[in-house]
């Protein structure tokens, strides 16, 4: 099993920045990929960014050029640096870890609110 704990959410004005962290524990050696997803009220959960074990990254179209995902394997921690935040970025952000086919874990989520 893998446990994921997010931190770093909060309230920020439009144009500001936040950095989210996701600390992983447990069977971290089995993690193949990690990612950030978000879900706004009344909307489906969507991919924000993902990073594989070899460092390849993938971003949702709405955050390209503004958000940066990174992973510190020594600390078993993943980060999401969010710059130029917009009100439409307001959502609960979830950390995700994929261990294999149909085997994944989720964090409890952290709220990000961007005021206009």
């Amino acid at each position: 099993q893998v446990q994921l704990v997010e931190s770093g959410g909060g309230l920020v004005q439009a144009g500001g920045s936040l950095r989210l962290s996701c600390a992983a524990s447990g069977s971290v050696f089995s993690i193949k990929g990690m990612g950030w997803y978000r879900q706004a009220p009344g909307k489906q959960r969507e991919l924000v960014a993902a990073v594989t074990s070899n460092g390849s990254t993938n971003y949702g179209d709405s955050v390209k050029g503004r958000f940066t995902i990174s992973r510190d394997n020594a600390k078993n921690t993943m980060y999401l640096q969010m710059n130029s935040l917009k009100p439409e970025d307001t959502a609960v952000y979830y950390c995700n870890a994929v261990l294999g086919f149909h085997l994944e874990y989720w964090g409890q989520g952290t709220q990000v609110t961007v005021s206009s």
Side-chain angles (χ1 to χ4, degrees), residues 59-103:
Y59 294 91
D61 288 341
S62 62
V63 305
K64 285 180 180 177
R66 300 189 297 122
F67 291 10
T68 302
I69 190 171
S70 61
R71 185 173 169 180
D72 186 335
N73 290 327
K75 295 183 178 180
N76 297 320
T77 301
M78 176 179 64
Y79 304 96
L80 184 68
Q81 178 66 43
M82 304 186 294
N83 298 329
S84 302
L85 282 161
K86 305 175 181 179
E88 50 264 44
D89 294 317
T90 296
V92 178
Y93 284 69
Y94 296 92
C95 174
N96 171 269
V98 177
L99 277 65
F101 189 66
H102 284 324
L103 182 58

Side-chain angles (χ1 to χ4, degrees), residues 50-58 69:
V51 58
T52 65
S53 56
N54 64 8
S56 297
T57 58
N58 181 41
I69 190 171

